[in-house]
PDB file of all heavy atoms in Angstrom:
ATOM      1  N   LEU Q 864      -2.399   1.667  14.334  1.00 97.00           N
ATOM      2  CA  LEU Q 864      -2.924   2.950  14.813  1.00 97.00           C
ATOM      3  C   LEU Q 864      -2.314   3.315  16.167  1.00 97.00           C
ATOM      4  O   LEU Q 864      -1.923   4.466  16.387  1.00 97.00           O
ATOM      5  CB  LEU Q 864      -4.443   2.896  14.918  1.00 97.00           C
ATOM      6  CG  LEU Q 864      -5.220   2.875  13.598  1.00 97.00           C
ATOM      7  CD1 LEU Q 864      -6.707   2.680  13.862  1.00 97.00           C
ATOM      8  CD2 LEU Q 864      -4.990   4.156  12.800  1.00 97.00           C
ATOM      9  N   LYS Q 865      -2.234   2.335  17.067  1.00 96.00           N
ATOM     10  CA  LYS Q 865      -1.649   2.610  18.389  1.00 96.00           C
ATOM     11  C   LYS Q 865      -0.166   2.941  18.281  1.00 96.00           C
ATOM     12  O   LYS Q 865       0.327   3.879  18.916  1.00 96.00           O
ATOM     13  CB  LYS Q 865      -1.843   1.406  19.318  1.00 96.00           C
ATOM     14  CG  LYS Q 865      -1.300   1.670  20.729  1.00 96.00           C
ATOM     15  CD  LYS Q 865      -1.465   0.475  21.632  1.00 96.00           C
ATOM     16  CE  LYS Q 865      -1.005   0.807  23.062  1.00 96.00           C
ATOM     17  NZ  LYS Q 865       0.357   1.362  23.125  1.00 96.00           N
ATOM     18  N   LEU Q 866       0.551   2.181  17.451  1.00 97.00           N
ATOM     19  CA  LEU Q 866       1.975   2.429  17.292  1.00 97.00           C
ATOM     20  C   LEU Q 866       2.221   3.806  16.667  1.00 97.00           C
ATOM     21  O   LEU Q 866       3.132   4.539  17.075  1.00 97.00           O
ATOM     22  CB  LEU Q 866       2.601   1.335  16.426  1.00 97.00           C
ATOM     23  CG  LEU Q 866       4.128   1.321  16.331  1.00 97.00           C
ATOM     24  CD1 LEU Q 866       4.754   1.101  17.698  1.00 97.00           C
ATOM     25  CD2 LEU Q 866       4.585   0.246  15.337  1.00 97.00           C
ATOM     26  N   GLY Q 867       1.387   4.174  15.683  1.00 97.00           N
ATOM     27  CA  GLY Q 867       1.526   5.491  15.070  1.00 97.00           C
ATOM     28  C   GLY Q 867       1.312   6.609  16.062  1.00 97.00           C
ATOM     29  O   GLY Q 867       2.065   7.596  16.087  1.00 97.00           O
ATOM     30  N   GLU Q 868       0.307   6.465  16.926  1.00 94.00           N
ATOM     31  CA  GLU Q 868       0.051   7.486  17.940  1.00 94.00           C
ATOM     32  C   GLU Q 868       1.174   7.522  18.969  1.00 94.00           C
ATOM     33  O   GLU Q 868       1.582   8.608  19.424  1.00 94.00           O
ATOM     34  CB  GLU Q 868      -1.292   7.225  18.622  1.00 94.00           C
ATOM     35  CG  GLU Q 868      -1.732   8.310  19.594  1.00 94.00           C
ATOM     36  CD  GLU Q 868      -2.005   9.661  18.943  1.00 94.00           C
ATOM     37  OE1 GLU Q 868      -2.163   9.696  17.692  1.00 94.00           O
ATOM     38  OE2 GLU Q 868      -2.034  10.681  19.660  1.00 94.00           O
ATOM     39  N   ASP Q 869       1.707   6.359  19.336  1.00 94.00           N
ATOM     40  CA  ASP Q 869       2.827   6.318  20.284  1.00 94.00           C
ATOM     41  C   ASP Q 869       4.046   7.041  19.716  1.00 94.00           C
ATOM     42  O   ASP Q 869       4.724   7.790  20.421  1.00 94.00           O
ATOM     43  CB  ASP Q 869       3.190   4.876  20.625  1.00 94.00           C
ATOM     44  CG  ASP Q 869       2.230   4.255  21.629  1.00 94.00           C
ATOM     45  OD1 ASP Q 869       1.533   5.016  22.331  1.00 94.00           O
ATOM     46  OD2 ASP Q 869       2.169   3.014  21.718  1.00 94.00           O
ATOM     47  N   TYR Q 870       4.334   6.795  18.451  1.00 95.00           N
ATOM     48  CA  TYR Q 870       5.461   7.491  17.829  1.00 95.00           C
ATOM     49  C   TYR Q 870       5.192   8.990  17.750  1.00 95.00           C
ATOM     50  O   TYR Q 870       6.067   9.813  18.031  1.00 95.00           O
ATOM     51  CB  TYR Q 870       5.731   6.944  16.428  1.00 95.00           C
ATOM     52  CG  TYR Q 870       6.672   5.766  16.403  1.00 95.00           C
ATOM     53  CD1 TYR Q 870       6.252   4.522  15.937  1.00 95.00           C
ATOM     54  CD2 TYR Q 870       7.986   5.897  16.835  1.00 95.00           C
ATOM     55  CE1 TYR Q 870       7.119   3.441  15.901  1.00 95.00           C
ATOM     56  CE2 TYR Q 870       8.863   4.816  16.812  1.00 95.00           C
ATOM     57  CZ  TYR Q 870       8.421   3.595  16.338  1.00 95.00           C
ATOM     58  OH  TYR Q 870       9.283   2.523  16.325  1.00 95.00           O
ATOM     59  N   TYR Q 871       3.977   9.338  17.362  1.00 91.00           N
ATOM     60  CA  TYR Q 871       3.652  10.764  17.225  1.00 91.00           C
ATOM     61  C   TYR Q 871       3.837  11.494  18.554  1.00 91.00           C
ATOM     62  O   TYR Q 871       4.377  12.602  18.600  1.00 91.00           O
ATOM     63  CB  TYR Q 871       2.217  10.929  16.730  1.00 91.00           C
ATOM     64  CG  TYR Q 871       1.834  12.378  16.522  1.00 91.00           C
ATOM     65  CD1 TYR Q 871       2.145  13.026  15.334  1.00 91.00           C
ATOM     66  CD2 TYR Q 871       1.195  13.109  17.524  1.00 91.00           C
ATOM     67  CE1 TYR Q 871       1.825  14.361  15.148  1.00 91.00           C
ATOM     68  CE2 TYR Q 871       0.883  14.440  17.346  1.00 91.00           C
ATOM     69  CZ  TYR Q 871       1.195  15.058  16.151  1.00 91.00           C
ATOM     70  OH  TYR Q 871       0.894  16.387  15.984  1.00 91.00           O
ATOM     71  N   GLN Q 872       3.402  10.861  19.639  1.00 86.00           N
ATOM     72  CA  GLN Q 872       3.498  11.466  20.968  1.00 86.00           C
ATOM     73  C   GLN Q 872       4.877  11.280  21.610  1.00 86.00           C
ATOM     74  O   GLN Q 872       5.108  11.768  22.705  1.00 86.00           O
ATOM     75  CB  GLN Q 872       2.427  10.869  21.890  1.00 86.00           C
ATOM     76  CG  GLN Q 872       1.001  11.142  21.465  1.00 86.00           C
ATOM     77  CD  GLN Q 872       0.600  12.598  21.639  1.00 86.00           C
ATOM     78  OE1 GLN Q 872       1.354  13.399  22.174  1.00 86.00           O
ATOM     79  NE2 GLN Q 872      -0.589  12.936  21.179  1.00 86.00           N
ATOM     80  N   ARG Q 873       5.789  10.568  20.939  1.00 85.00           N
ATOM     81  CA  ARG Q 873       7.125  10.269  21.479  1.00 85.00           C
ATOM     82  C   ARG Q 873       7.023   9.526  22.813  1.00 85.00           C
ATOM     83  O   ARG Q 873       7.779   9.795  23.759  1.00 85.00           O
ATOM     84  CB  ARG Q 873       7.954  11.548  21.654  1.00 85.00           C
ATOM     85  CG  ARG Q 873       8.179  12.324  20.377  1.00 85.00           C
ATOM     86  CD  ARG Q 873       8.944  13.600  20.649  1.00 85.00           C
ATOM     87  NE  ARG Q 873       8.981  14.482  19.487  1.00 85.00           N
ATOM     88  CZ  ARG Q 873      10.065  14.794  18.805  1.00 85.00           C
ATOM     89  NH1 ARG Q 873      11.228  14.292  19.160  1.00 85.00           N
ATOM     90  NH2 ARG Q 873      10.004  15.609  17.774  1.00 85.00           N
ATOM     91  N   ASN Q 874       6.068   8.610  22.895  1.00 86.00           N
ATOM     92  CA  ASN Q 874       5.903   7.862  24.135  1.00 86.00           C
ATOM     93  C   ASN Q 874       7.117   6.968  24.390  1.00 86.00           C
ATOM     94  O   ASN Q 874       7.738   6.448  23.456  1.00 86.00           O
ATOM     95  CB  ASN Q 874       4.629   7.019  24.085  1.00 86.00           C
ATOM     96  CG  ASN Q 874       3.388   7.888  24.189  1.00 86.00           C
ATOM     97  OD1 ASN Q 874       3.443   9.000  24.718  1.00 86.00           O
ATOM     98  ND2 ASN Q 874       2.263   7.404  23.680  1.00 86.00           N
ATOM     99  N   ALA Q 875       7.434   6.795  25.661  1.00 82.00           N
ATOM    100  CA  ALA Q 875       8.659   6.101  26.038  1.00 82.00           C
ATOM    101  C   ALA Q 875       8.661   4.634  25.618  1.00 82.00           C
ATOM    102  O   ALA Q 875       9.730   4.039  25.459  1.00 82.00           O
ATOM    103  CB  ALA Q 875       8.874   6.213  27.545  1.00 82.00           C
ATOM    104  N   ASN Q 876       7.495   4.010  25.433  1.00 89.00           N
ATOM    105  CA  ASN Q 876       7.475   2.597  25.045  1.00 89.00           C
ATOM    106  C   ASN Q 876       7.994   2.381  23.623  1.00 89.00           C
ATOM    107  O   ASN Q 876       8.386   1.272  23.257  1.00 89.00           O
ATOM    108  CB  ASN Q 876       6.057   2.026  25.171  1.00 89.00           C
ATOM    109  CG  ASN Q 876       5.060   2.727  24.267  1.00 89.00           C
ATOM    110  OD1 ASN Q 876       4.966   3.949  24.280  1.00 89.00           O
ATOM    111  ND2 ASN Q 876       4.299   1.967  23.500  1.00 89.00           N
ATOM    112  N   VAL Q 877       8.019   3.444  22.804  1.00 92.00           N
ATOM    113  CA  VAL Q 877       8.559   3.324  21.448  1.00 92.00           C
ATOM    114  C   VAL Q 877       9.759   4.234  21.223  1.00 92.00           C
ATOM    115  O   VAL Q 877      10.551   4.008  20.311  1.00 92.00           O
ATOM    116  CB  VAL Q 877       7.486   3.627  20.382  1.00 92.00           C
ATOM    117  CG1 VAL Q 877       6.347   2.637  20.475  1.00 92.00           C
ATOM    118  CG2 VAL Q 877       6.973   5.046  20.480  1.00 92.00           C
ATOM    119  N   LEU Q 878       9.903   5.271  22.041  1.00 87.00           N
ATOM    120  CA  LEU Q 878      11.010   6.202  21.847  1.00 87.00           C
ATOM    121  C   LEU Q 878      11.669   6.581  23.167  1.00 87.00           C
ATOM    122  O   LEU Q 878      11.741   7.757  23.542  1.00 87.00           O
ATOM    123  CB  LEU Q 878      10.538   7.466  21.109  1.00 87.00           C
ATOM    124  CG  LEU Q 878      10.399   7.331  19.590  1.00 87.00           C
ATOM    125  CD1 LEU Q 878       9.970   8.647  18.973  1.00 87.00           C
ATOM    126  CD2 LEU Q 878      11.694   6.851  18.958  1.00 87.00           C
ATOM    127  N   ALA Q 879      12.130   5.567  23.883  1.00 81.00           N
ATOM    128  CA  ALA Q 879      13.059   5.838  24.973  1.00 81.00           C
ATOM    129  C   ALA Q 879      14.340   6.390  24.339  1.00 81.00           C
ATOM    130  O   ALA Q 879      14.546   6.240  23.124  1.00 81.00           O
ATOM    131  CB  ALA Q 879      13.334   4.560  25.741  1.00 81.00           C
ATOM    132  N   PRO Q 880      15.210   7.044  25.103  1.00 76.00           N
ATOM    133  CA  PRO Q 880      16.394   7.671  24.507  1.00 76.00           C
ATOM    134  C   PRO Q 880      17.210   6.754  23.589  1.00 76.00           C
ATOM    135  O   PRO Q 880      17.734   7.205  22.567  1.00 76.00           O
ATOM    136  CB  PRO Q 880      17.200   8.099  25.733  1.00 76.00           C
ATOM    137  CG  PRO Q 880      16.158   8.384  26.771  1.00 76.00           C
ATOM    138  CD  PRO Q 880      15.096   7.351  26.548  1.00 76.00           C
ATOM    139  N   HIS Q 881      17.299   5.443  23.911  1.00 84.00           N
ATOM    140  CA  HIS Q 881      18.114   4.540  23.093  1.00 84.00           C
ATOM    141  C   HIS Q 881      17.375   4.032  21.860  1.00 84.00           C
ATOM    142  O   HIS Q 881      17.954   3.299  21.051  1.00 84.00           O
ATOM    143  CB  HIS Q 881      18.560   3.337  23.939  1.00 84.00           C
ATOM    144  CG  HIS Q 881      17.439   2.443  24.351  1.00 84.00           C
ATOM    145  ND1 HIS Q 881      16.602   2.734  25.413  1.00 84.00           N
ATOM    146  CD2 HIS Q 881      16.996   1.264  23.842  1.00 84.00           C
ATOM    147  CE1 HIS Q 881      15.704   1.772  25.547  1.00 84.00           C
ATOM    148  NE2 HIS Q 881      15.918   0.880  24.609  1.00 84.00           N
ATOM    149  N   MET Q 882      16.116   4.410  21.679  1.00 88.00           N
ATOM    150  CA  MET Q 882      15.329   3.891  20.563  1.00 88.00           C
ATOM    151  C   MET Q 882      15.326   4.805  19.337  1.00 88.00           C
ATOM    152  O   MET Q 882      14.749   4.466  18.312  1.00 88.00           O
ATOM    153  CB  MET Q 882      13.879   3.651  21.013  1.00 88.00           C
ATOM    154  CG  MET Q 882      13.714   2.533  22.008  1.00 88.00           C
ATOM    155  SD  MET Q 882      11.973   2.366  22.510  1.00 88.00           S
ATOM    156  CE  MET Q 882      12.058   0.899  23.539  1.00 88.00           C
ATOM    157  N   TYR Q 883      15.941   5.969  19.434  1.00 90.00           N
ATOM    158  CA  TYR Q 883      16.014   6.862  18.272  1.00 90.00           C
ATOM    159  C   TYR Q 883      17.051   6.333  17.280  1.00 90.00           C
ATOM    160  O   TYR Q 883      17.953   5.579  17.635  1.00 90.00           O
ATOM    161  CB  TYR Q 883      16.407   8.275  18.698  1.00 90.00           C
ATOM    162  CG  TYR Q 883      15.290   9.079  19.305  1.00 90.00           C
ATOM    163  CD1 TYR Q 883      14.960   8.924  20.648  1.00 90.00           C
ATOM    164  CD2 TYR Q 883      14.567   9.979  18.541  1.00 90.00           C
ATOM    165  CE1 TYR Q 883      13.931   9.665  21.217  1.00 90.00           C
ATOM    166  CE2 TYR Q 883      13.540  10.727  19.095  1.00 90.00           C
ATOM    167  CZ  TYR Q 883      13.228  10.569  20.433  1.00 90.00           C
ATOM    168  OH  TYR Q 883      12.211  11.291  20.987  1.00 90.00           O
ATOM    169  N   SER Q 884      16.920   6.742  16.036  1.00 93.00           N
ATOM    170  CA  SER Q 884      17.896   6.392  15.025  1.00 93.00           C
ATOM    171  C   SER Q 884      18.221   7.632  14.190  1.00 93.00           C
ATOM    172  O   SER Q 884      17.442   8.589  14.153  1.00 93.00           O
ATOM    173  CB  SER Q 884      17.351   5.290  14.109  1.00 93.00           C
ATOM    174  OG  SER Q 884      18.244   5.040  13.038  1.00 93.00           O
ATOM    175  N   ASP Q 885      19.374   7.593  13.526  1.00 93.00           N
ATOM    176  CA  ASP Q 885      19.754   8.694  12.639  1.00 93.00           C
ATOM    177  C   ASP Q 885      19.188   8.514  11.247  1.00 93.00           C
ATOM    178  O   ASP Q 885      19.345   9.388  10.381  1.00 93.00           O
ATOM    179  CB  ASP Q 885      21.283   8.793  12.542  1.00 93.00           C
ATOM    180  CG  ASP Q 885      21.912   9.118  13.885  1.00 93.00           C
ATOM    181  OD1 ASP Q 885      21.306   9.892  14.641  1.00 93.00           O
ATOM    182  OD2 ASP Q 885      23.001   8.589  14.172  1.00 93.00           O
ATOM    183  N   VAL Q 886      18.560   7.371  10.993  1.00 95.00           N
ATOM    184  CA  VAL Q 886      18.018   7.081   9.661  1.00 95.00           C
ATOM    185  C   VAL Q 886      16.657   6.407   9.809  1.00 95.00           C
ATOM    186  O   VAL Q 886      16.313   5.886  10.877  1.00 95.00           O
ATOM    187  CB  VAL Q 886      18.949   6.142   8.857  1.00 95.00           C
ATOM    188  CG1 VAL Q 886      20.328   6.772   8.681  1.00 95.00           C
ATOM    189  CG2 VAL Q 886      19.058   4.767   9.528  1.00 95.00           C
ATOM    190  N   VAL Q 887      15.902   6.405   8.729  1.00 95.00           N
ATOM    191  CA  VAL Q 887      14.728   5.542   8.621  1.00 95.00           C
ATOM    192  C   VAL Q 887      15.000   4.571   7.473  1.00 95.00           C
ATOM    193  O   VAL Q 887      15.638   4.914   6.471  1.00 95.00           O
ATOM    194  CB  VAL Q 887      13.434   6.342   8.362  1.00 95.00           C
ATOM    195  CG1 VAL Q 887      13.052   7.151   9.583  1.00 95.00           C
ATOM    196  CG2 VAL Q 887      13.563   7.244   7.150  1.00 95.00           C
ATOM    197  N   TRP Q 888      14.521   3.332   7.651  1.00 96.00           N
ATOM    198  CA  TRP Q 888      14.788   2.270   6.691  1.00 96.00           C
ATOM    199  C   TRP Q 888      13.580   2.013   5.796  1.00 96.00           C
ATOM    200  O   TRP Q 888      12.437   2.249   6.187  1.00 96.00           O
ATOM    201  CB  TRP Q 888      15.149   0.980   7.427  1.00 96.00           C
ATOM    202  CG  TRP Q 888      16.417   1.056   8.220  1.00 96.00           C
ATOM    203  CD1 TRP Q 888      16.554   1.383   9.537  1.00 96.00           C
ATOM    204  CD2 TRP Q 888      17.735   0.816   7.740  1.00 96.00           C
ATOM    205  NE1 TRP Q 888      17.869   1.368   9.908  1.00 96.00           N
ATOM    206  CE2 TRP Q 888      18.624   1.017   8.816  1.00 96.00           C
ATOM    207  CE3 TRP Q 888      18.260   0.453   6.486  1.00 96.00           C
ATOM    208  CZ2 TRP Q 888      20.001   0.853   8.691  1.00 96.00           C
ATOM    209  CZ3 TRP Q 888      19.624   0.291   6.371  1.00 96.00           C
ATOM    210  CH2 TRP Q 888      20.486   0.496   7.456  1.00 96.00           C
ATOM    211  N   HIS Q 889      13.863   1.468   4.604  1.00 94.00           N
ATOM    212  CA  HIS Q 889      12.794   0.983   3.725  1.00 94.00           C
ATOM    213  C   HIS Q 889      13.367  -0.101   2.821  1.00 94.00           C
ATOM    214  O   HIS Q 889      14.588  -0.212   2.655  1.00 94.00           O
ATOM    215  CB  HIS Q 889      12.194   2.118   2.885  1.00 94.00           C
ATOM    216  CG  HIS Q 889      13.150   2.749   1.916  1.00 94.00           C
ATOM    217  ND1 HIS Q 889      14.048   3.721   2.296  1.00 94.00           N
ATOM    218  CD2 HIS Q 889      13.357   2.534   0.581  1.00 94.00           C
ATOM    219  CE1 HIS Q 889      14.770   4.095   1.246  1.00 94.00           C
ATOM    220  NE2 HIS Q 889      14.378   3.385   0.204  1.00 94.00           N
ATOM    221  N   TRP Q 890      12.469  -0.905   2.275  1.00 95.00           N
ATOM    222  CA  TRP Q 890      12.889  -1.953   1.341  1.00 95.00           C
ATOM    223  C   TRP Q 890      12.740  -1.408  -0.070  1.00 95.00           C
ATOM    224  O   TRP Q 890      11.646  -1.013  -0.471  1.00 95.00           O
ATOM    225  CB  TRP Q 890      12.023  -3.204   1.533  1.00 95.00           C
ATOM    226  CG  TRP Q 890      12.531  -4.376   0.761  1.00 95.00           C
ATOM    227  CD1 TRP Q 890      12.134  -4.779  -0.470  1.00 95.00           C
ATOM    228  CD2 TRP Q 890      13.545  -5.281   1.175  1.00 95.00           C
ATOM    229  NE1 TRP Q 890      12.842  -5.887  -0.865  1.00 95.00           N
ATOM    230  CE2 TRP Q 890      13.722  -6.218   0.137  1.00 95.00           C
ATOM    231  CE3 TRP Q 890      14.336  -5.403   2.319  1.00 95.00           C
ATOM    232  CZ2 TRP Q 890      14.639  -7.256   0.197  1.00 95.00           C
ATOM    233  CZ3 TRP Q 890      15.254  -6.432   2.389  1.00 95.00           C
ATOM    234  CH2 TRP Q 890      15.410  -7.351   1.348  1.00 95.00           C
ATOM    235  N   ASP Q 891      13.865  -1.353  -0.807  1.00 92.00           N
ATOM    236  CA  ASP Q 891      13.821  -0.707  -2.125  1.00 92.00           C
ATOM    237  C   ASP Q 891      13.664  -1.692  -3.276  1.00 92.00           C
ATOM    238  O   ASP Q 891      13.828  -1.329  -4.437  1.00 92.00           O
ATOM    239  CB  ASP Q 891      15.066   0.153  -2.337  1.00 92.00           C
ATOM    240  CG  ASP Q 891      16.327  -0.673  -2.537  1.00 92.00           C
ATOM    241  OD1 ASP Q 891      16.245  -1.927  -2.428  1.00 92.00           O
ATOM    242  OD2 ASP Q 891      17.390  -0.078  -2.820  1.00 92.00           O
ATOM    243  N   GLY Q 892      13.350  -2.963  -2.974  1.00 86.00           N
ATOM    244  CA  GLY Q 892      13.168  -3.957  -4.021  1.00 86.00           C
ATOM    245  C   GLY Q 892      14.283  -4.976  -4.071  1.00 86.00           C
ATOM    246  O   GLY Q 892      14.057  -6.148  -4.382  1.00 86.00           O
ATOM    247  N   ASN Q 893      15.490  -4.538  -3.781  1.00 87.00           N
ATOM    248  CA  ASN Q 893      16.638  -5.442  -3.800  1.00 87.00           C
ATOM    249  C   ASN Q 893      17.274  -5.612  -2.430  1.00 87.00           C
ATOM    250  O   ASN Q 893      18.119  -6.479  -2.231  1.00 87.00           O
ATOM    251  CB  ASN Q 893      17.704  -4.912  -4.777  1.00 87.00           C
ATOM    252  CG  ASN Q 893      17.192  -4.849  -6.199  1.00 87.00           C
ATOM    253  OD1 ASN Q 893      16.643  -5.826  -6.691  1.00 87.00           O
ATOM    254  ND2 ASN Q 893      17.359  -3.708  -6.844  1.00 87.00           N
ATOM    255  N   GLY Q 894      16.919  -4.766  -1.498  1.00 94.00           N
ATOM    256  CA  GLY Q 894      17.515  -4.842  -0.170  1.00 94.00           C
ATOM    257  C   GLY Q 894      17.100  -3.647   0.658  1.00 94.00           C
ATOM    258  O   GLY Q 894      16.302  -2.800   0.220  1.00 94.00           O
ATOM    259  N   LEU Q 895      17.642  -3.568   1.843  1.00 96.00           N
ATOM    260  CA  LEU Q 895      17.326  -2.464   2.734  1.00 96.00           C
ATOM    261  C   LEU Q 895      18.089  -1.213   2.317  1.00 96.00           C
ATOM    262  O   LEU Q 895      19.245  -1.279   1.903  1.00 96.00           O
ATOM    263  CB  LEU Q 895      17.691  -2.824   4.176  1.00 96.00           C
ATOM    264  CG  LEU Q 895      16.785  -3.833   4.873  1.00 96.00           C
ATOM    265  CD1 LEU Q 895      17.406  -4.303   6.175  1.00 96.00           C
ATOM    266  CD2 LEU Q 895      15.415  -3.214   5.135  1.00 96.00           C
ATOM    267  N   ALA Q 896      17.421  -0.078   2.410  1.00 96.00           N
ATOM    268  CA  ALA Q 896      18.056   1.214   2.138  1.00 96.00           C
ATOM    269  C   ALA Q 896      17.664   2.165   3.253  1.00 96.00           C
ATOM    270  O   ALA Q 896      16.593   2.037   3.855  1.00 96.00           O
ATOM    271  CB  ALA Q 896      17.607   1.764   0.778  1.00 96.00           C
ATOM    272  N   SER Q 897      18.543   3.132   3.537  1.00 95.00           N
ATOM    273  CA  SER Q 897      18.289   4.061   4.635  1.00 95.00           C
ATOM    274  C   SER Q 897      18.260   5.493   4.121  1.00 95.00           C
ATOM    275  O   SER Q 897      18.846   5.810   3.082  1.00 95.00           O
ATOM    276  CB  SER Q 897      19.352   3.918   5.719  1.00 95.00           C
ATOM    277  OG  SER Q 897      20.639   4.266   5.206  1.00 95.00           O
ATOM    278  N   ARG Q 898      17.598   6.337   4.882  1.00 91.00           N
ATOM    279  CA  ARG Q 898      17.533   7.773   4.574  1.00 91.00           C
ATOM    280  C   ARG Q 898      17.772   8.540   5.863  1.00 91.00           C
ATOM    281  O   ARG Q 898      17.058   8.331   6.842  1.00 91.00           O
ATOM    282  CB  ARG Q 898      16.161   8.121   3.988  1.00 91.00           C
ATOM    283  CG  ARG Q 898      15.958   9.585   3.672  1.00 91.00           C
ATOM    284  CD  ARG Q 898      14.715   9.788   2.814  1.00 91.00           C
ATOM    285  NE  ARG Q 898      13.529   9.207   3.400  1.00 91.00           N
ATOM    286  CZ  ARG Q 898      12.752   9.829   4.295  1.00 91.00           C
ATOM    287  NH1 ARG Q 898      13.055  11.054   4.712  1.00 91.00           N
ATOM    288  NH2 ARG Q 898      11.676   9.233   4.769  1.00 91.00           N
ATOM    289  N   PRO Q 899      18.753   9.445   5.896  1.00 92.00           N
ATOM    290  CA  PRO Q 899      19.025  10.195   7.125  1.00 92.00           C
ATOM    291  C   PRO Q 899      17.867  11.110   7.494  1.00 92.00           C
ATOM    292  O   PRO Q 899      17.212  11.687   6.619  1.00 92.00           O
ATOM    293  CB  PRO Q 899      20.280  11.015   6.781  1.00 92.00           C
ATOM    294  CG  PRO Q 899      20.854  10.369   5.556  1.00 92.00           C
ATOM    295  CD  PRO Q 899      19.695   9.783   4.822  1.00 92.00           C
ATOM    296  N   VAL Q 900      17.614  11.223   8.792  1.00 90.00           N
ATOM    297  CA  VAL Q 900      16.601  12.162   9.284  1.00 90.00           C
ATOM    298  C   VAL Q 900      17.106  12.801  10.572  1.00 90.00           C
ATOM    299  O   VAL Q 900      17.774  12.140  11.375  1.00 90.00           O
ATOM    300  CB  VAL Q 900      15.227  11.493   9.554  1.00 90.00           C
ATOM    301  CG1 VAL Q 900      14.616  10.949   8.292  1.00 90.00           C
ATOM    302  CG2 VAL Q 900      15.370  10.387  10.591  1.00 90.00           C
ATOM    303  N   PRO Q 901      16.786  14.091  10.804  1.00 86.00           N
ATOM    304  CA  PRO Q 901      17.138  14.706  12.093  1.00 86.00           C
ATOM    305  C   PRO Q 901      16.340  14.062  13.217  1.00 86.00           C
ATOM    306  O   PRO Q 901      15.223  13.576  13.020  1.00 86.00           O
ATOM    307  CB  PRO Q 901      16.734  16.178  11.904  1.00 86.00           C
ATOM    308  CG  PRO Q 901      16.568  16.369  10.431  1.00 86.00           C
ATOM    309  CD  PRO Q 901      16.155  15.044   9.896  1.00 86.00           C
ATOM    310  N   ARG Q 902      16.912  14.039  14.393  1.00 85.00           N
ATOM    311  CA  ARG Q 902      16.247  13.464  15.559  1.00 85.00           C
ATOM    312  C   ARG Q 902      14.888  14.122  15.801  1.00 85.00           C
ATOM    313  O   ARG Q 902      13.931  13.460  16.218  1.00 85.00           O
ATOM    314  CB  ARG Q 902      17.138  13.632  16.793  1.00 85.00           C
ATOM    315  CG  ARG Q 902      16.584  13.022  18.074  1.00 85.00           C
ATOM    316  CD  ARG Q 902      17.494  13.338  19.257  1.00 85.00           C
ATOM    317  NE  ARG Q 902      16.976  12.809  20.504  1.00 85.00           N
ATOM    318  CZ  ARG Q 902      17.339  11.657  21.052  1.00 85.00           C
ATOM    319  NH1 ARG Q 902      18.229  10.894  20.436  1.00 85.00           N
ATOM    320  NH2 ARG Q 902      16.836  11.258  22.203  1.00 85.00           N
TER     321      ARG Q 902
END
């Protein structure tokens, strides 16, 4: 819950400038897979 709120608010402890990514990851059953997302 705290981590979700931190991400939602873009708090620096979870989203300092170097912590953004161009993708989000998930496990698709056989390995890691990524999906592009805008910043």
Side-chain angles (χ1 to χ4, degrees):
L864 289 174
K865 182 181 184 307
L866 189 62
E868 186 65 17
D869 282 340
Y870 272 118
Y871 182 84
Q872 297 290 354
R873 300 177 190 246
N874 288 336
N876 61 308
V877 298
L878 280 182
H881 67 280
M882 292 178 175
Y883 282 82
S884 174
D885 297 324
V886 300
V887 291
W888 296 93
H889 64 278
W890 189 265
D891 71 356
N893 298 310
L895 287 169
S897 63
R898 178 167 54 86
V900 296
R902 182 184 178 97

